[in-house]
Amino acid sequence: LHTVDSSVVDPAKVETNIVGLELSKIGISSADLAARCKDAGLWISALGPHYARLVTHLDFTDVQCDEAIEILKRALVAK
């Protein structure tokens, strides 16, 4: 996600299975991102107007992580 826009997430600050996305600089609300992701089968949390949270489960596989990243990338750049 950092490659889509470096303001969204700083990989150096991700230490757990919880990842926060700062959306204020990319022109999409967290509600819009959550809706786009849900339409593609990925549920994320909109915690403020421009802040979304991702949380993975213990049993989340690498393949599922890759799929989630692709859904998020498409959702972030969709117009």
Side-chain angles (χ1 to χ4, degrees):
L1 299 178
H2 182 75
T3 61
V4 172
D5 189 305
S6 62
S7 70
V8 174
V9 64
D10 180 355
K13 293 184 179 180
V14 177
E15 297 180 6
T16 69
N17 64 322
I18 300 171
V19 178
L21 303 179
E22 175 54 55
L23 305 171
S24 61
K25 295 181 182 174
I26 64 168
I28 183 174
S29 72
S30 57
D32 286 342
L33 180 63
R36 291 176 188 180
C37 288
K38 185 177 178 184
D39 287 346
L42 178 66
W43 290 48
I44 67 171
S45 299
L47 297 182
H50 299 287
Y51 187 82
R53 184 178 72 169
L54 315 173
V55 180
T56 60
H57 186 270
L58 175 65
D59 297 327
F60 205 66
T61 67
D62 289 345
V63 170
Q64 289 170 311
C65 188
D66 291 341
E67 291 171 355
I69 290 168
E70 290 307 313
I71 290 170
L72 282 160
K73 284 181 179 179
R74 287 192 304 270
L76 285 167
V77 298
K79 298 292 178 198

